[in-house]
Amino acid sequence: MRKSLLLSTILASIGAFLLVGGALLLVDPGAPKHEAIKTGGLAGGAIVALYALWLNDRRRKVEEARQELESQRIDHDRSRVADERFARAVELLGHETAQVRVGAMHALAGLAKSRVDYTQTVLDILCAYLRQPYRKAAGDPEEIELEVRLTSQRLIEDLLPRLEEKNPPIYDLNLTKAHLEFMDLSYRQVGDLYMRVAHFEDSNSFHHMKVHGHFYVTEATMTGRFHMHHTEVVGRGWFSRFKAGGLAIFTETKFLGETKFANSEWAEVKADGCTFAVEADLPEAWRN
């Protein structure tokens, strides 16, 4: 096709040369012949130039299409490799050796950082690990399991956007029935934070946070300290049947949605400056 088009262009160029040059000689027979030849040559050359521009544009489009296909192939290969890494890491979370499980968690976290579309899924998996049945007992192999669980907590914390970030992606955490010890989500942003029927041991920090969704700790139990000061909860704050056996700190925290404390128990509360956009039926420990 290209040879046919090139031949047509050459013929058109010759035709333009003869047509323009001949027309000038017919219109003005006394004009110098070299001027007619020059003008005819320019007309013919213009057609060749137009063909060259078209050919360059065609080559550019072909090259762009080739690069787009190559880019798609590379993205496909990366996605395939990422999916394989993800599947292998998830499989290793069930390994009997603690070090292997820790390595699998770090692999998942690394994948979530390099490919944002994996982040919520990885957070869900790390949370699911913490929701597995666990009972702490000193001096037995469970202490090793505690280190694995602490690793999972730290990786969850690291994947959440920091408080100062503007318009970050928002992720949800489901820690229902989880055993949490030294959990620290301070200075982080989260969507929904569900910790129903969870057990909080030692000290857990949820201060200087922004919870864009709901905060649920219904039927949870707490020993040690529960730090939730200088935090903003946009959605509902549910503390129904929450049993707090240690110090709970809510200084300067803002609850912007409906808040419930029905049948909750509190050993000691510090809540100076804590505000509620919707009137809450506060337990006696909160009113003192």
Side-chain angles (χ1 to χ4, degrees), residues 134-147:
Y134 170 76
R135 185 177 66 179
K136 183 179 178 182
D140 65 20
E142 290 296 317
E143 285 294 301
I144 299 176
E145 174 59 18
L146 175 61
E147 290 302 316

Side-chain angles (χ1 to χ4, degrees), residues 168-231:
I170 300 300
Y171 306 110
D172 301 326
L173 298 181
N174 185 357
L175 291 163
T176 298
K177 296 184 178 181
H179 179 103
L180 303 175
E181 187 170 351
F182 300 112
M183 186 73 165
D184 185 2
L185 300 183
S186 58
Y187 297 94
R188 293 294 193 275
Q189 299 185 58
V190 69
D192 292 326
L193 180 51
Y194 293 143
M195 298 184 288
R196 298 185 179 102
V197 204
H199 177 68
F200 303 94
E201 189 170 345
D202 290 310
S203 179
N204 291 272
S205 298
F206 307 98
H207 61 84
H208 292 90
M209 287 185 66
K210 182 164 185 179
V211 181
H212 293 266
H214 307 308
F215 184 92
Y216 277 74
V217 286
T218 51
E219 299 186 61
T221 59
M222 180 270 284
T223 59
R225 294 195 171 197
F226 190 83
H227 299 271
M228 197 177 166
H229 52 89
H230 299 89
T231 286

Side-chain angles (χ1 to χ4, degrees), residues 83-207:
D83 290 343
E84 291 173 355
R85 287 173 55 198
F86 175 79
R88 180 58 176 162
V90 171
E91 180 182 349
L92 291 176
L93 282 178
H95 199 278
E96 61 182 11
T97 305
Q99 292 90 334
V100 175
R101 296 198 298 276
V102 168
M105 289 178 180
H106 279 283
L108 286 171
L111 181 60
K113 289 180 179 180
S114 62
R115 298 184 67 90
V116 178
D117 51 317
Y118 275 94
T119 304
Q120 183 63 66
T121 302
V122 170
L123 285 169
D124 291 342
I125 292 170
L126 294 174
C127 287
Y129 190 92
L130 294 173
R131 294 200 304 270
Q132 295 182 48
Y134 170 76
R135 185 177 66 179
K136 183 179 178 182
D140 65 20
E142 290 296 317
E143 285 294 301
I144 299 176
E145 174 59 18
L146 175 61
E147 290 302 316
V148 180
R149 298 175 69 86
L150 292 176
T151 297
S152 181
Q153 290 182 183
R154 287 193 296 270
L155 293 174
I156 289 172
E157 298 153 15
D158 192 43
L159 288 175
L160 294 177
R162 294 195 62 85
L163 185 62
E164 66 270 15
E165 292 184 44
K166 302 297 183 182
N167 301 315
I170 300 300
Y171 306 110
D172 301 326
L173 298 181
N174 185 357
L175 291 163
T176 298
K177 296 184 178 181
H179 179 103
L180 303 175
E181 187 170 351
F182 300 112
M183 186 73 165
D184 185 2
L185 300 183
S186 58
Y187 297 94
R188 293 294 193 275
Q189 299 185 58
V190 69
D192 292 326
L193 180 51
Y194 293 143
M195 298 184 288
R196 298 185 179 102
V197 204
H199 177 68
F200 303 94
E201 189 170 345
D202 290 310
S203 179
N204 291 272
S205 298
F206 307 98
H207 61 84

